[in-house]
Amino acid sequence: VFSTARAPLQSRGTMRYCAVVTPTLGALFQSQFYAEVASGSSPVIAADGRDTVLFVTEGSGEVEVGTRRLEVGPLTGVYVRSTEAYRINNRSGSALKLFISNGPGSEDLLLTDGMPAAFDAQFPNRTVSIDPAQRHKMAERYYQLLVNRAQGSTLMTQFIGNIPLSKAEPHRHLYEEALIFLNGEGVV
């Protein structure tokens, strides 16, 4: 269990970030970082052979991937292919907050000089926002797929859901999963 409110963040230019899930912490197939980007542009982050999924929790701006600029706002998912690099551009006065998930995992983000032009145009639609029409209902719960094969991701899937006051039956998954609680409280 990890709280972003209590996390010590390291600074790299306009970006402050920390590791949340890494191989050293026990993850077998992924890593996750929490980041806050102040007004301006973050350093360029190389995917470094890893599929990358971003999830914006607060703020708005754009994610620059190679030569493309993708508009993002709260509760937006973004997919970056393993051969690309990206930069977060925050045009507002308040921090843009996001989670960065990589697969396979890494211990740190790889910051690089300059933005390579690489953008795999075979998969042009890289952002996904919440759309109530795309929800899948499961009893009193629902979920929506965000980043998945439709964006070109074959290694990682991102979804968002709502779990009202309830208790799920004990179960297990045959894949590794990291959960981000956006609001509410409960027990896992």
Side-chain angles (χ1 to χ4, degrees):
V1 177
F2 182 91
S3 170
T4 57
R6 296 191 301 262
L9 304 177
Q10 57 183 312
S11 294
R12 298 290 187 269
T14 63
M15 182 172 73
R16 297 178 342 122
Y17 75 100
C18 66
V20 177
V21 174
T22 65
T24 298
L25 296 172
L28 299 176
F29 304 105
Q30 65 179 316
S31 58
Q32 187 177 82
F33 303 88
Y34 170 73
E36 298 179 354
V37 179
S39 186
S41 296
S42 75
V44 176
I45 305 166
D48 193 32
R50 296 171 170 83
D51 281 16
T52 300
V53 176
L54 310 176
F55 184 73
V56 177
T57 59
E58 291 181 39
S60 60
E62 63 186 16
V63 175
E64 186 179 349
V65 180
T67 57
R68 297 285 177 97
R69 293 177 180 258
L70 311 168
E71 293 292 322
V72 297
L75 308 181
T76 302
V78 180
Y79 175 58
V80 180
R81 295 186 60 79
S82 63
T83 56
E84 299 170 338
Y86 60 97
R87 171 177 27 223
I88 296 102
N89 299 312
N90 179 0
R91 297 183 303 260
S92 74
S94 57
L96 190 152
K97 299 177 181 181
L98 71 153
F99 286 88
I100 302 166
S101 301
N102 294 324
S106 62
E107 295 300 324
D108 201 354
L109 297 174
L110 178 63
L111 306 182
T112 186
D113 294 328
M115 174 65 74
F119 180 87
D120 188 345
Q122 182 181 353
F123 301 98
N125 301 320
R126 303 293 189 83
T127 61
V128 184
S129 297
I130 292 181
D131 177 1
Q134 299 301 315
R135 290 178 179 167
H136 299 274
K137 193 161 176 55
M138 297 171 33
E140 297 299 314
R141 305 169 181 221
Y142 66 81
Y143 73 94
Q144 177 193 335
L145 287 173
L146 293 175
V147 173
N148 62 75
R149 291 182 191 278
Q151 288 71 45
S153 179
T154 59
L155 185 63
M156 301 176 76
T157 301
Q158 178 186 66
F159 66 92
I160 190 165
N162 181 59
I163 302 173
L165 184 61
S166 63
K167 180 179 180 181
E169 292 297 318
H171 64 284
R172 68 182 188 145
H173 296 162
L174 300 177
Y175 50 85
E176 194 167 78
E177 182 175 40
L179 303 172
I180 301 169
F181 294 88
L182 300 174
N183 57 46
E185 58 186 47
V187 175
V188 176

